[in-house]
Amino acid sequence: MAHKELNGKEDFTKALETKGRYVFIYAHDSEVPAPAQDSCRNAKKFSETTDAYGLNVAKYPVAKDHFKIEKVPTAIVYKDGKEIKRVDEMSQESIKEVEQILLS
């Protein structure tokens, strides 16, 4: 599951309109931290069910309001436009929680 970059409100809206698949959004404020990069490389197992997006909120600050992001990094999982799970300041434990959702 390679992350596609969200580059503005049109991309934000289009991502959330995805039906029948999980939408995973990883919000960060500059460089993607190493643990997240490792997670992305290991996440090929989710590519059948999940569209993954990176979101640089430093580059697109309007995204913080759009996705109600208070802390970074934050991971948000949606399905059919509805938020399923949100994890602020991701830890290894929280990454595993998200992976369990994406495997279900």
Side-chain angles (χ1 to χ4, degrees), residues 3 5 24 26-41 53-56 73 90:
H3 286 94
E5 199 64 32
F24 174 85
Y26 182 78
H28 56 92
D29 61 1
S30 59
E31 297 289 320
V32 176
Q37 290 176 2
D38 291 342
S39 178
C40 294
R41 282 190 285 272
Y53 298 93
L55 175 59
N56 184 338
M90 295 181 66

Side-chain angles (χ1 to χ4, degrees), residues 57-76:
V57 296
K59 192 174 179 182
Y60 299 103
V62 68
K64 279 188 161 183
D65 289 335
H66 189 83
F67 291 104
K68 299 177 180 88
I69 296 168
E70 295 179 12
K71 299 176 183 177
V72 287
T74 292
I76 312 168

Side-chain angles (χ1 to χ4, degrees), residues 67-87:
F67 291 104
K68 299 177 180 88
I69 296 168
E70 295 179 12
K71 299 176 183 177
V72 287
T74 292
I76 312 168
V77 178
Y78 293 89
K79 184 140 189 198
D80 297 327
K82 294 182 182 159
E83 187 176 317
I84 304 292
K85 177 78 173 174
R86 176 180 295 256
V87 178

